[in-house]
Structure formats: C-alpha cells, structure tokens
Amino acid sequence: MSPSLRQQVLRKIPKVDEILSRPEMADLLKVHPRAVVVEAVRKGLERLRSEILKTEDLSDLDDGIFSFENLYPLFQREVTVQIQPRLCRVINATGVVIHTNLGRSPLAPSALQHMIEIARGYSNLEYDLDRGDRGSRYTHVEGILCRLSGAESAMVVNNNAGAVLLALNTIAEGKEVIVSRGELVEIGGAFRIPDVMKRSGAFLREVGTTNRTYIGDYQRAIGPQTALLLKVHTSNFRVMGFTADTPLQDLVQLGKENHLPVMHDLGSGCFLDLSQYGLEREPTVPEAIQTGVDLVTFSGDKLLGGPQAGIILGKKAILDLVKINPLTRALRIDKLTLAALESTLLLYLDEKMAMEEIPTLRMLKIDRAVLKRRARRLLRSLSERIKQKTTPVLKEDISQVGGGALPLQELPTVVVRLKPVDLSVNGLEEGLRKAEPPIISRISKDGLILDMRTISDEEIPLLAAGIEKALAKTAESKAHRA
Ligand SMILES: *Cc1c(COP(=O)(O)O)cnc(C)c1O
C-alpha cells in the first residue's frame, strides 16, 4: 500500500468549515452552542480519519463514507456525548453489593429527600438556631453517633482514609505507632496503611509476623517514642491456617497499663449484628466502643449504607484534639453528605427500619424467593427472538458483599445466565456496558451473569431493554461490516 494513496484518500475528508456551512447544520446550531457543534464536527471527522488509517486495504472503502448523509448522524452523536454528564447511573448486575467502582452504597429514600432539601436552599449547617449564633457543622450528627455507638464523642470527615490520616496526625505526629505486620493492609484505590502513616508524620513500628502477632510483641515494642497502639481491620483478606491475632480488649488493657491510647480502624463499621440475618459474625461498632478503645474509625458508605464519609468515635479528650487539628478543615465533610449521613443514621434507631430502608442492608439479607421472582420477571420480559439469541437460564450462584467487608462471606443468589449464540460473551458484555443506562455484568466460564441481588425491581424493564438493544446494535454493526 503506497502512502501517497492513503494521503489521497485522507484528503477526501471534508473540512470543518465546509461541514458547518451546510444548511442541514443550522438545526444543530440553533439548539446547541456553536463551540459544542464545532467540537462535535471535529471529533466526528477525527473518528473518520482514524478509521481510514486503520483500514488495511483502502479499496474496501466506499466513497459514500465521505458523504454528508453518512457523517451527519456521527456529528449528532458527538453533540449528545458532549452535553450529557459523564457521571451517570449504571445498573449493577455484578452481585457485588458494596461495589467501590460503582459508587458503593445506594442511599435510602429519606437520605435522598434530606439531601435535596438541604441542597435546594439554605440550612443551619454552621448556625446554632438556639443561640442565634455561629455553630459547628459537626454537631448535627454527633448526638446520634454517640447514642448508637455508646461513644463519648464523635466527628465526621470526608472519608475513612481521611479519618485515619487525621487521627494519626493528631495523636502521633513525630512519634511511633505500633501495628501488627499482619494488618499492614492495602485497600482498593491505593490506600495503604504504611503510606498513610508516613503522610500523617507518624512512624510505623511493625511488630509480630504476617500470620501471628501476640500481645507480647506489642509490649516489647513500647518505648519512649510510642504514641499509639493501632489495630487495623484486614478488610479485604483473611490469613488462614496457623494464625494468631491479638484481640482488641487485650490491646486496650495494654494501652491502659502504659498510658497509651489505642485506636481501631474498623474499615467497614457496622452498627448491627448481621449474623442474625445469616451473615458472618463481625464485631459491631458498639462492641468495639465497649472494649474501652480510645478511637474507632470507619467508612460511611460501606456496611453502614450511607454516603462517603469517615466517622471517628471515641474518648472526648482525644476527639477534642482531633476537632481542632487544622487538617480537619481540609478534610471537612460537605453539607449534602452530612444530610445523607444524618438521615441514614436516624434509620438505625429502629433496627427493623434500617434493614428495610437502607439499600445495602436490604440487598445483603434479601430472600432468595424474591431474587427468583425477579429473575423470572426478567426472563418473561425478554422477547422470543432475544431468548433464541441468548439462551437465558435461571441459575443459583454466589454474590459478594464487596467494599472490603466480609471477604469470605458467600451469599447464595439467583442469577440469569446468558449464552449468546452468534456473539462472543465478551461482545455481549461490551454491548450491555454501552447500553443506556450502562449494565455492568459478570463474565463466568460458561456465560454472562446477571445477578438479581444488586438489581432493583424497577430496573428489570431497563435491563430487558438494554439486552434487546445490545443485541440489535451488535447485529447492526455486523451487517454494516459485511
Ligand atoms: C475501606 C477502608 C479504609 C478506607 O476507607 P474509605 O472510606 O474508602 O476512605 C480504611 N481502612 C480500612 C480498614 C478499610 O477497610
């Protein structure tokens, strides 16, 4: 293939100005800002150009691809892409309940309502209505947090990574923090305990081994430089077999004897004993507080089921220092988050209400019969043509909690498995991912899995429509290529 021939073909691509002067473009220019349309045309032509550069045999190309009629839909699509938000809802068909990449916890209706109300107008965010004077944004949730956990004092920041950073910096800047080797974890999104420790200005003092750490290991490491004993929840993994872990109570006792504060990064942080609902037993936040630990930190959007936030609970004397640390201002929680968090916490006053209203908790304890009904509904919503093309079957499978919570917990679930007949599983996965709204599924060794646990009943019609559309589209692009 001579480069000059390719040059000749590329020269056939119309110029941006040429396109813009077409009378048909007037409609687009009437509705959208000129800059948006110009960018769309530029992007559309760029796409055509890269298509030509990718084509091996240029004699395959039909001159029709340069026609305005062929290009116009491309420009329209590019305009739509530009004016639509990039951050959009997706349907989570993965079965991972607390999916960090998909935004972790969906919010309860009352939390959404509260957010809208606070966002729409002014609020008493930092205004004390009793005194008619300046107030603090942190007071709104402190009462309910202390009531639910039994802690003396509470504080909330942007996220749990921020909470850990802030606490370490407040208590141990320039001093040593003793941590078990088995707890130097990395959480998704590059949160590593040793790195956060470094940035906080504290020095890490590792003790014990990967699989076994005893109270004596901590004891021997205590010296004049020690400022804190830290226990970290090994959220997303478990060490199995020959292991020994120092219980929080023992660390608290050791801290007391040596006049050292003890902190527990709980990670997920759950207020309810989920073993009543058939899940693994996890120490709850109130149980951690009961040990007498000085500080506990955890996320707002993991098992708690609220918005992204970092919650710090514990002894008043330490929390008072945390609250006046200048870093607090850099990590401060936003008013919308605060609204959602407060409403989520209020639901916990009634355990039954929390389990029903908080989507994360509801999805974790959902009945298999409900999942089965949902799967059947999806099957009924698919057309005969699509059924032939995807051979859907209802199957039992396992879903995951996610978010680093209960990593070994297997949640028996019901899924719909699709096995496309004239398309690869990867092709179908991509088609669904590009649907509107995008559908995020799971690929297994024998097909594409749609897990009913993380889909709501309202999403079933959208899911069915997405599958129909994905298959129609792939059929179309195949015909186009042929
Ligand atoms: C998830 C997690 C964090 C980070 O919390 P974010 O709210 O995501 O910032 C910190 N520590 C542990 C143990 C965790 O599980």
Side-chain angles (χ1 to χ4, degrees), residues 224-236:
Q225 279 307 304
T226 311
L228 178 72
L229 307 179
L230 173 65
K231 186 167 180 64
V232 183
H233 193 293
T234 59
S235 302
N236 44 12

Side-chain angles (χ1 to χ4, degrees), residues 104 159-162 164 185 187 191 193 232-236 265-268 298-302 308-310 403-404:
R104 289 197 182 152
N159 60 356
N160 189 32
V164 173
V185 298
I187 318 291
F191 171 91
I193 288 291
V232 183
H233 193 293
T234 59
S235 302
N236 44 12
D265 175 15
L266 266 174
S268 205
F298 55 97
S299 292
D301 54 355
K302 291 184 180 171
Q308 178 190 303

Side-chain angles (χ1 to χ4, degrees), residues 108 110 342-351 353-354 357-358:
S110 60
E342 185 181 18
S343 287
T344 305
L345 291 169
L346 287 171
L347 291 170
Y348 278 93
L349 290 173
D350 176 351
E351 175 164 341
M353 180 112 97
E357 294 285 312
I358 297 174

Side-chain angles (χ1 to χ4, degrees), residues 264-309:
H264 189 12
D265 175 15
L266 266 174
S268 205
C270 187
F271 281 105
L272 305 176
D273 174 9
L274 294 177
S275 65
Q276 310 166 66
Y277 306 97
L279 278 92
E280 263 173 61
R281 169 120 189 86
E282 267 281 301
T284 63
V285 174
E287 282 165 356
I289 293 293
Q290 254 166 33
T291 63
V293 69
D294 297 270
L295 228 50
V296 160
T297 66
F298 55 97
S299 292
D301 54 355
K302 291 184 180 171
L303 278 175
L304 186 70
Q308 178 190 303

